[in-house]
Amino acid sequence: MINVFLGDITELHGTPYAAQAIVNAANERLVAGSGVCGAIFRAAGLRHLQQACHSVAPCPTGSARITPAFDLASQCVEAIIHAVGPRFSDASSDAADRLLADAYRASISCLRSAGLTSIAYPSISTGVFGFPLERAAAVSVRTLREVDGPDLAVTLVAFNEQTKLAWEEALAAQ
Ligand code: ADP
């Protein structure tokens, strides 16, 4: 099941879209950054999350790592999955599509390995990493549909209306 929700991925508790794991749009070194990464590090507790990230870094583009959720456990988040999407300008657009799909897929592998079944994603790579929004929405929906199953609850968390619309259109089109 795939849903779209407009809001902040660090504040899903108490909504119907609260998830056991939230995905961080991470960088390969797994260090605190801006955008959704900054928001997740702040909410989880910068020091603890950074320490945990150091012990599982680096994380090549297209892959994912899992850490505890630290302070976000108070919001019933059990794990943070750090997924690294491509910078759009670094790769040809076909390669970028593949790497973005890999990042979504790798996150689901981490989720399943941890025995968890619900996950919330931000729109990976569409902020600082410059991936075109509609293109990223199509890739993410196609990839998640391939791995989706009756046991899985996936929420796509849009931080703005434009992202929400792109995901809704991709879900309706595919
Ligand atoms: P990237 O470096 O992968 O492009 P960004 O954090 O710059 O990552 O942006 C990824 C997406 O996350 C963008 O669509 C941005 O609007 C969104 N975003 C930023 N903050 C939050 C948040 N608190 N919750 C959910 N999405 C967020």
Side-chain angles (χ1 to χ4, degrees), residues 20-169:
Q20 293 167 316
I22 65 171
V23 176
N24 176 24
N27 49 66
E28 290 193 341
R29 293 185 302 133
L30 300 186
V31 293
S34 59
V36 69
C37 183
I40 289 175
F41 270 80
R42 274 192 301 279
L46 186 64
R47 199 168 58 87
H48 285 131
L49 186 56
Q50 194 62 84
Q51 262 171 11
C53 281
H54 277 320
S55 64
V56 293
C59 180
T61 300
S63 55
R65 303 279 187 266
I66 191 165
T67 67
F70 299 103
D71 293 353
L72 278 167
S74 66
Q75 297 202 40
C76 301
V77 179
E78 295 177 39
I80 299 172
I81 294 173
H82 306 264
V84 182
R87 287 178 193 274
F88 195 69
S89 55
D90 280 356
S92 73
S93 43
D94 282 352
D97 284 355
R98 274 196 299 280
L99 288 166
L100 185 62
D102 288 346
Y104 276 89
R105 219 178 280 116
S107 305
I108 296 289
S109 297
C110 283
L111 183 80
R112 290 206 156 114
S113 300
L116 304 175
T117 55
S118 58
I119 186 167
Y121 281 95
S123 179
I124 299 171
S125 284
T126 65
V128 175
F129 280 9
F131 213 104
L133 194 53
E134 283 74 21
R135 188 174 184 115
V139 169
S140 55
V141 165
R142 188 170 62 242
T143 306
L144 290 168
R145 284 247 165 92
E146 282 165 15
V147 296
D148 197 14
D151 60 320
L152 212 59
V154 176
T155 300
L156 302 171
V157 182
F159 204 47
N160 53 45
E161 287 286 351
Q162 209 192 347
T163 304
K164 181 168 180 269
L165 196 64
W167 264 328
E168 285 171 346
E169 286 179 351

